[in-house]
Amino acid sequence: MKSYSDTYKQAGVDVTAGYKAVELMKEHVARTMTSSVLTGLGGFGGLYELDMTGMTHPVLVSGTDGVGTKLKIAFLMDKHDTVGIDCVAMCVNDIICCGAKPQFFLDYIAIGKNYPEKVAQIVAGVAEGCVQAGCALVGGETAEHPGMMPAEEYDLAGFSVGIVDKDKILDKETQVPGDVLIALPSSGVHSNGFSLVRKVFNVEKADLTTYVEKLGAPLGETLLTPTKIYVKPLCALFDALTVKSVAHITGGGFYENMPRAIKDGLSAKIKKSDVRVLPIFELIQQMGKIPERDMYNTFNMGVGMMVCVAKEDADKALDVLKANGEPDAYILGELVEGDEGVILE
């Protein structure tokens, strides 16, 4: 490509670095391609042919999100190949809560200075997330922002589009008392609550590479553990039985997210002793002297997704999940009458 501008480069934007970044990321993007993708990188839009075979009333479902201040940990660790997984996860895990299968994804990277190798690492993570979700990375944007953000920093966001047959959209209105709630374990903090995490551990001054016995790993490594993507096991579950609702446990923890997937007049009844809390949350609570209520209202506490099924389907649901990549899924609680939303005993 013959495009270049010395004047623009002197102003802080090197267009040739952008072209190099695209070349470096192509091999990662290629991993996500499906037969529905009609164009490669470089066009003004990503063309995607929808396969609506067997659908009567196809409905598109969209979701958008970013990685948030978890990126600060990536900066401090100088590790950039996993946050892209987080970005994809935060979008596709929302889409799947409607019963929709993600089809494609686009990312947006705003960066202080375009270091092509760093951008390629970020996109490698995005591509890995797309592979895990079974969706195609059809495009994106890398925008160099000199003067607006430090040269070594960036922000990362994206969005995804999924599809579901209208008759198969999950319907919480079918819920009744006695329905069972199943927990799909999280991989860690995921991508929420990091403003509090950073404050608790004073991460800018902490040695993130020191091994922490309670965690079985260095603190920084544990905090950077990417968000788990639940698309494939949940799609398998949707095919096997009737799922009444799914809640993605993100910012706001149990108290904000579970009620979003529960019918009015019902509440989730959960024994705290049944919640398989991960060690990182115990450490956060201990170090930050955080009240238990605030922990459950901020973090996922080890539960990445909550799935609601009829009581008679619970055992089958666990079997399907365990056969499709969720061997540690377990019964978390049940629905009861009441308007508390979440009852933690």
Side-chain angles (χ1 to χ4, degrees):
M1 182 175 290
K2 296 181 179 180
S3 172
Y4 65 89
S5 172
D6 288 336
T7 305
Y8 205 9
K9 185 175 181 179
Q10 291 169 12
V13 177
D14 184 356
V15 294
T16 58
Y19 304 143
K20 182 178 180 182
V22 171
E23 287 301 314
L24 292 174
M25 69 178 69
K26 279 184 177 179
E27 64 176 289
H28 305 298
V29 176
R31 297 179 58 216
T32 75
M33 291 297 101
T34 67
S35 58
S36 294
V37 181
L38 304 183
T39 55
L41 295 182
F44 289 100
L47 300 183
Y48 188 91
E49 183 178 22
L50 282 174
D51 181 3
M52 296 181 289
T53 304
M55 291 191 179
T56 306
H57 295 99
V59 176
L60 296 179
V61 181
S62 59
T64 186
D65 210 335
V67 183
T69 63
K70 183 174 185 175
L71 291 176
K72 280 284 189 180
I73 311 297
F75 302 158
L76 292 166
M77 296 286 289
D78 193 23
K79 181 174 172 56
H80 311 284
D81 60 347
T82 61
V83 290
I85 301 174
D86 291 294
C87 188
V88 175
M90 298 308 293
C91 298
V92 299
N93 284 347
D94 279 352
I95 286 175
I96 200 69
C97 290
C98 300
K101 184 182 185 305
Q103 300 294 302
F104 60 84
F105 186 86
L106 288 93
D107 60 26
Y108 178 83
I109 305 168
I111 193 164
K113 181 175 175 59
N114 190 338
Y115 298 103
E117 292 77 10
K118 179 186 287 188
V119 172
Q121 288 179 43
I122 298 168
V123 175
V126 174
E128 173 59 27
C130 288
V131 169
Q132 292 182 24
C135 65
L137 178 55
V138 298
E141 170 70 4
T142 301
E144 198 168 8
H145 287 172
M148 285 192 66
M149 58 200 310
E152 301 298 324
E153 295 189 3
Y154 56 86
D155 195 13
L156 174 61
F159 86 96
S160 186
V161 173
I163 190 168
V164 61
D165 203 342
K166 189 174 183 179
D167 292 338
K168 295 183 178 179
I169 296 173
L170 303 191
D171 184 10
K172 66 182 181 181
E173 295 304 315
T174 63
Q175 293 173 338
V176 296
D179 283 346
V180 170
L181 306 177
I182 295 174
L184 276 60
S186 69
S187 56
V189 185
H190 283 184
S191 299
N192 299 101
F194 271 86
S195 294
L196 179 54
V197 168
R198 287 167 42 237
K199 179 180 178 182
V200 166
F201 293 116
N202 193 16
V203 296
E204 282 80 2
K205 296 182 179 179
D207 183 357
L208 298 177
T209 63
T210 299
Y211 182 87
V212 180
E213 186 173 352
K214 185 178 182 65
L215 303 176
L219 176 61
E221 180 182 313
T222 299
L223 294 178
L224 269 187
T225 301
T227 306
K228 187 187 287 188
I229 291 175
Y230 299 93
V231 171
K232 292 180 179 179
L234 284 177
C235 282
L237 189 64
F238 299 156
D239 289 340
L241 52 86
T242 299
V243 175
K244 298 191 177 186
S245 71
V246 176
H248 184 197
I249 312 303
T250 56
F254 283 33
Y255 288 103
E256 181 175 324
N257 293 289
M258 289 186 180
R260 296 165 66 183
I262 297 174
K263 176 182 175 180
D264 288 346
L266 298 177
S267 296
K269 184 178 180 181
I270 299 168
K271 293 181 180 179
K272 282 182 280 190
S273 59
D274 288 339
V275 181
R276 300 177 186 176
V277 179
L278 295 176
I280 183 61
F281 298 112
E282 296 172 349
L283 187 61
I284 290 170
Q285 183 174 10
Q286 175 188 343
M287 295 287 292
K289 297 180 174 57
I290 301 171
E292 184 179 66
R293 177 63 164 73
D294 288 356
M295 290 294 296
Y296 279 93
N297 209 152
T298 305
F299 301 109
N300 68 63
M301 301 302 287
V303 179
M305 286 279 191
M306 180 199 77
V307 178
C308 178
V309 299
K311 185 175 183 178
E312 59 269 23
D313 289 334
D315 289 341
K316 182 178 180 181
L318 288 172
D319 288 341
V320 172
L321 289 168
K322 290 175 181 180
N324 287 275
E326 286 296 330
D328 297 320
Y330 63 96
I331 292 177
L332 180 66
E334 64 176 347
L335 292 184
V336 296
E337 292 184 355
D339 55 8
E340 295 93 336
V342 177
I343 303 168
L344 274 172
E345 299 181 332

